[in-house]
Amino acid sequence: MRTPRRDSVGPGQESVWDYPRPPSAEVTPRRVVVEIGGRVVADTTRAVRVCETSHPPVYYVPREDVVPGVLERAGGSSWCEWKGAATYWDAVVDGTRRPSAAWSYEQPTAGYEHLRGAVAFYPSRVDRATVDGEQVRAQAGDFYGGWITGDVVGPFKGEPGTLGW
C-alpha cells in the first residue's frame, strides 16, 4: 500500500489522515441539514460525527430529527468491519423515491452503540446537505458517504488513484 501525498492543512482545517482507525464517533453540536425536492427532510444539532482515516466525516442524524415518513427500508445490506451490518433506506418525498439515499446500523457493534437510531444520508443522493450552513461536497465513488466541507482536507478515499490505499 502506498502512502498518499497529504494536502496542506490551513488554519481551522483538519486532515482526514489524522483521523483514527478504527473510526471515532462523537456527538457534535454542528447543525446538519438535508434537503430533498426543495424540502428539509432532516435537521439536527445532535448528529454523530464519524471520522475514519482517509475519509471525510459522515454525519448520522437521529431519526427523531428526520421528517416522519420520509425513510422507507430498502433492499440490500453491507458490512463495516467496525460498525457491523448496515441497513439501507430509500427517501420518499412528495411521491418521488431516492433509492438507497441513506444507511444506518440497526444493531451496531460494541463501541458504536450511539449510532443506533440514527441514519446517515449520502450527500450525492440528496439535493443539498449542509453543515453549519455550508453546502457539502460528496465523497467520490458510489460506495462512500463522506461529507466534504472547507474545514477538512485530503486526499480522500474514493477519488481517482485511491484504489490501492
Side-chain angles (χ1 to χ4, degrees):
M1 180 167 106
R2 68 177 179 82
T3 302
R5 180 179 296 229
R6 292 177 176 214
D7 294 341
S8 297
V9 178
Q13 291 183 317
E14 305 171 339
S15 172
V16 297
W17 292 95
D18 293 330
Y19 291 163
R21 188 164 175 85
S24 63
E26 299 174 357
V27 175
T28 178
R30 298 182 78 178
R31 186 170 183 206
V32 172
V33 178
V34 177
E35 298 176 21
I36 298 175
R39 292 182 50 203
V40 171
V41 298
D43 188 345
T44 192
T45 55
R46 54 195 190 110
V48 178
R49 184 178 189 246
V50 174
C51 297
E52 179 178 356
T53 306
S54 80
H55 297 268
V58 173
Y59 292 86
Y60 289 77
V61 177
R63 278 210 190 91
E64 297 84 23
D65 296 337
V66 176
V67 172
V70 166
L71 297 174
E72 292 184 9
R73 184 83 179 258
S77 66
S78 62
W79 180 260
C80 171
E81 64 185 305
W82 311 113
K83 298 178 285 292
T87 299
Y88 290 88
W89 300 90
D90 292 347
V92 181
V93 177
D94 297 330
T96 301
R97 181 174 300 273
R98 300 285 176 97
S100 298
W103 77 96
S104 65
Y105 293 96
E106 298 302 294
Q107 299 295 323
T109 57
Y112 296 94
E113 295 90 353
H114 53 303
L115 292 179
R116 183 176 290 119
V119 61
F121 288 87
Y122 285 95
S124 62
R125 299 179 189 177
V126 301
D127 294 334
R128 181 173 156 91
T130 63
V131 177
D132 288 339
E134 178 186 351
Q135 186 165 345
V136 306
R137 183 169 50 96
Q139 182 176 7
D142 195 43
F143 183 75
Y144 304 112
W147 293 38
I148 301 172
T149 56
D151 58 355
V152 295
V153 298
F156 306 109
K157 182 76 172 176
E159 293 176 345
T162 66
L163 186 59
W165 292 354

